[in-house]
Structure formats: structure tokens, C-alpha cells
């Protein structure tokens, strides 16, 4: 997540500093299907990482150690990350 996101951010900053033609090329590339796929993948990785961190935070405070509860949350986190990613991109595309 950090490597791909960092490369995209540095590329955007370089295109911004290089002038209007370079920026227009970068925006055209970023809004292509491959660019959208990368950005959707990055946002999914962000939400997955964030939710896993919250789950571990709850475990660190001493809750959620029951096997059924722990299994339920570990199975629910990928679904929640997909739902949050879909919600984010629905807002981006339709708002």
C-alpha cells in the first residue's frame, strides 16, 4: 500500500511540477481503467488495514478473545472493507 501509493503520489507531484502537458497526461493515465483499478485497490487495502488495526486495538484492550466472536470478526472484516470501498467509490463517481 505504501509503495504503490507513494509512487502514485510522487508521480502526481512530478507531473504537477513539470507543467500542464505532463499533468494532463498524468490525469489521463490516472483516470484510465488501470489507474482506477490501482486506486480502488489502494482504497481497499487502506480500509482492510484500518479495520484490522481496529480489531487488534479491541483485542489489545482485552475484548473479543472468545473464539466465536474472534472468528466472526475475522470473517466480517474483508466484507466490511469491500463495502466501505464500494461506498467510497460510489461517492466519488456519483456525488
Amino acid at each position: 500500500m505504501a509503495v504503490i501509493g507513494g509512487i502514485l503520489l510522487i508521480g502526481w507531484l512530478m507531473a504537477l511540477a513539470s507543467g500542464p502537458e505532463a499533468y494532463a497526461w498524468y490525469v489521463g493515465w490516472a483516470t484510465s481503467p488501470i489507474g482506477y483499478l490501482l486506486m480502488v485497490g489502494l482504497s481497499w487495502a487502506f480500509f482492510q488495514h484500518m479495520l484490522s488495526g481496529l480489531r487488534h486495538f479491541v483485542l489489545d484492550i482485552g475484548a473479543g478473545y472468545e473464539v466465536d466472536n474472534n472468528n466472526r470478526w475475522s470473517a466480517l472484516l474483508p466484507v466490511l472493507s469491500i463495502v466501505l470501498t464500494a461506498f467510497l467509490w460510489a461517492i466519488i463517481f456519483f456525488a
Side-chain angles (χ1 to χ4, degrees):
M1 181 169 69
V3 172
I4 301 296
I7 289 170
L8 290 175
L9 176 66
I10 290 171
W12 176 70
L13 290 172
M14 288 175 58
L16 189 62
S18 297
E21 297 85 19
Y23 187 73
W25 177 85
Y26 187 83
V27 168
W29 177 85
T31 56
S32 71
I34 293 174
Y36 280 129
L37 184 66
L38 281 173
M39 290 186 284
V40 167
L42 279 173
S43 59
W44 173 80
F46 168 75
F47 285 124
Q48 179 70 30
H49 188 75
M50 180 188 69
L51 291 173
S52 294
L54 289 172
R55 177 175 169 252
H56 282 278
F57 176 71
V58 170
L59 290 171
D60 285 344
I61 62 173
Y65 278 111
E66 301 81 21
V67 174
D68 291 337
N69 207 10
N70 200 349
N71 288 342
R72 188 177 309 115
W73 277 109
S74 65
L76 189 61
L77 287 183
V79 174
L80 283 175
S81 65
I82 290 170
V83 168
L84 287 173
T85 302
F87 182 69
L88 172 72
W89 285 95
I91 289 173
I92 290 171
F93 281 130
F94 301 117

